[in-house]
Amino acid sequence: IDAVGATGRSAAYAPPELSRGNLPATPQSDRWAFLVTVVQTLTGAFPPSDAEGFLDLAALEEDLRARPITRRRPILVRRVLAA
């Protein structure tokens, strides 16, 4: 949130606590956004989103388990989904 109270974020990278309302951002929020960026780097695609544009975790799990680069790395997939 900036000095005038406006928020700026990309829905797909917004953590769950920010997608449910105007709760304050935390270090975990930054961790979430970084993790979504890592997923995009790994897959080369935008992360899957729900009807409101926020990250769809179920679709993300399915996508990570299906892609050749992540399918061969189940520990990585588990850690990404647990973060």
Side-chain angles (χ1 to χ4, degrees):
I1 300 178
D2 68 13
V4 295
T7 59
R9 61 180 174 263
S10 298
Y13 297 84
E17 65 269 18
L18 296 181
S19 67
R20 290 187 218 113
N22 285 331
L23 299 174
T26 65
Q28 288 79 13
S29 304
D30 292 335
R31 182 176 159 193
W32 176 276
F34 176 73
L35 187 64
V36 176
T37 302
V38 167
V39 166
Q40 184 173 356
T41 302
L42 280 172
T43 64
F46 253 148
S49 58
D50 62 17
E52 286 105 30
F54 293 104
L55 182 66
D56 182 333
L57 283 174
L60 175 61
E61 179 175 6
E62 183 178 317
D63 189 42
L64 290 175
R65 295 189 189 283
R67 288 184 180 269
I69 194 164
T70 50
R71 181 179 54 223
R72 296 186 312 257
R73 295 169 177 86
I75 293 171
L76 174 63
V77 171
R78 280 196 305 272
R79 288 190 177 185
V80 165
L81 295 172

